[in-house]
Amino acid sequence: MTIHSRLSLRTVTAAGLLAVVCLCAAGCGTKRGTVSNPAQKHHNVVYGRSNKGVALTEDIYSPEDRAKPAPLVIVIHGGGFTTGDKRDTGPFASTLASLGFVTATVNYSLASPGYPEQVKEIQRAIRWNIAHAGQFGADPHRVGIVGFSAGGYLGAMASLLDSEHQRGPTNAVVTLSAPLDLTAFARLVHARLVCKHRSACPKAHLPPLGAFASVYRFLGCATPKCSPQLITRASPTSHVNARAPAFLMFNAAHEVVPRSQPIDMANALRASRVPEQVEFVPGTVREAGYIEQASPTIVKFLRQRLGNSPLRLAIGKNPPPPGDPTLLLVFCALIAGASLALVVAAVRSKLAVAIRPKEAR
């Protein structure tokens, strides 16, 4: 190989490495990065029918650039069991998809009473998504639930019922501001009713009766005339067992849902040696109101319980949520150093050729 060919090879190599540096710089220099994997969207997919024959639908978000089957996360909206829509959780589901999860946001019947039909519909959604996981690039053996308020109750209840007699298909459950211990709810309602007639009662520490109205409508009985047997049967804490999935539970410190709800659930899970985690958010906002604050913890929990989904890099598309850029910066610095060394070597070789006497060439 001649000096000129070696010089050309070095120059080309240096140019190639410098191009990589430019791409790294573009990724590092953007406020939120430029490497992302946007989601493919499948709207109004029918996963079953209600007991009245009405189609039950969901929206599915799949990462475009997944390298292998991704974890499946089913997202359930809130709304007091009588309102809400799968589109309410669409932005959150899309974010999860950009991070490597296949997500399904589900609708369910909003008729009152909703128990136990709504729970059965969520069980149906879980089974349908597992059966059709391959169609959307999901791994049927890595399944998580994220439920907002009433959706948190439904996701918890469906997962627990599925695990009572054998290990259920769900590996992880996340709830945000969800009623989880209905027997404790009933005790609080009784205390509130008693306090209406006693001036010395600590009313400031008891939620208003309206806070429990949606739960009693869901159960189909007037406050507080639900039978204790029904309340116990419908309470997620009553169905905790050793085969239950891991739980992450969020609650605001001073919201309508008492902070004792996730604590009671955590105690029941701990007694059965089921992994549990409780996170309190300051203030009075509920579920969707603190989702941005809770999202990093949710993603970390889901990755721990479901595993990561390796993605192919897609340059120049919509950015994912920000992460720690330290490793990327170190990598860019190393590549830049190597590129600079090659450029210097190439220049020295060229100068040496230029000043060497003709007879020595």
Side-chain angles (χ1 to χ4, degrees):
M1 182 181 293
T2 66
I3 292 176
H4 289 292
S5 64
R6 287 199 299 270
L7 176 60
S8 176
L9 178 60
R10 285 175 176 172
T11 303
V12 170
T13 302
L17 288 174
L18 284 172
V20 174
V21 173
C22 291
L23 291 176
C24 283
C28 296
T30 304
K31 183 178 180 181
R32 294 173 63 93
T34 57
V35 179
S36 71
N37 293 272
Q40 295 175 328
K41 301 176 184 179
H42 310 271
H43 290 293
N44 296 320
V45 177
V46 177
Y47 70 82
R49 293 190 175 274
S50 70
N51 60 352
K52 296 182 179 179
V54 178
L56 301 170
T57 62
E58 64 181 22
D59 295 338
I60 300 174
Y61 301 77
S62 300
E64 283 187 350
D65 299 297
R66 59 188 178 276
K68 66 179 185 180
L72 170 65
V73 178
I74 297 170
V75 183
I76 312 169
H77 69 81
F81 303 102
T82 57
T83 63
D85 187 84
K86 57 185 169 59
R87 291 172 295 182
D88 300 340
T89 55
F92 174 72
S94 181
T95 297
L96 286 182
S98 73
L99 296 173
F101 300 93
V102 173
T103 55
T105 60
V106 302
N107 270 347
Y108 49 91
S109 300
L110 299 176
S112 182
Y115 179 82
E117 291 305 321
Q118 289 180 355
V119 177
K120 293 179 179 179
E121 289 172 3
I122 297 304
Q123 288 179 293
R124 201 171 303 149
I126 295 171
R127 292 165 187 156
W128 188 93
N129 279 282
I130 289 173
H132 295 81
Q135 182 178 347
F136 302 99
D139 185 341
H141 303 294
R142 295 187 289 162
V143 182
I145 304 286
V146 178
F148 294 75
S149 189
Y153 166 90
L154 295 173
M157 194 68 173
S159 299
L160 290 168
L161 290 175
D162 282 344
S163 68
E164 280 193 309
H165 304 295
Q166 59 183 1
R167 186 165 295 280
T170 304
N171 307 105
V173 175
V174 179
T175 67
L176 301 95
S177 302
L180 298 168
D181 185 355
L182 301 193
T183 57
F185 257 55
R187 290 194 296 270
L188 286 173
V189 168
H190 177 72
R192 167 55 69 181
L193 289 172
V194 170
C195 281
K196 287 179 68 175
H197 308 290
R198 296 183 184 177
S199 59
C201 283
K203 295 182 180 180
H205 302 293
L206 294 174
L209 285 175
F212 308 102
S214 61
V215 172
Y216 282 91
R217 284 196 301 268
F218 167 70
L219 295 176
C221 48
T223 308
K225 296 180 180 180
C226 273
S227 72
Q229 294 79 12
L230 173 59
I231 292 173
T232 300
R233 187 167 63 249
S235 179
T237 51
S238 301
H239 300 278
V240 171
N241 61 84
R243 294 174 296 276
F247 270 72
L248 168 62
M249 296 162 283
F250 283 89
N251 218 80
H254 304 290
E255 65 164 287
V256 171
V257 174
R259 59 182 292 146
S260 59
Q261 286 288 296
I263 292 175
D264 291 344
M265 185 66 173
N267 290 337
L269 291 164
R270 198 175 304 120
S272 294
R273 298 187 177 182
V274 176
E276 48 75 28
Q277 181 179 344
V278 176
E279 298 287 341
F280 288 107
V281 179
T284 59
V285 295
R286 302 192 64 239
E287 33 113 356
Y290 58 72
I291 185 60
E292 184 174 352
Q293 186 175 348
S295 288
T297 304
I298 294 173
V299 171
K300 180 180 179 181
F301 173 78
L302 292 175
R303 283 176 170 166
Q304 286 175 341
R305 294 296 166 182
L306 307 181
N308 288 324
S309 174
L311 298 175
R312 301 184 183 93
L313 295 182
I315 304 298
K317 296 182 180 179
N318 293 329
D324 184 0
T326 304
L327 292 178
L328 181 59
L329 289 171
V330 170
F331 175 73
C332 290
L334 291 174
I335 294 297
S339 300
L340 181 60
L342 285 174
V343 171
V344 170
V347 172
R348 285 179 176 175
S349 296
K350 187 173 182 180
L351 290 175
V353 171
I355 65 177
R356 190 175 301 170
K358 288 184 178 180
E359 57 273 12
R361 298 181 187 178

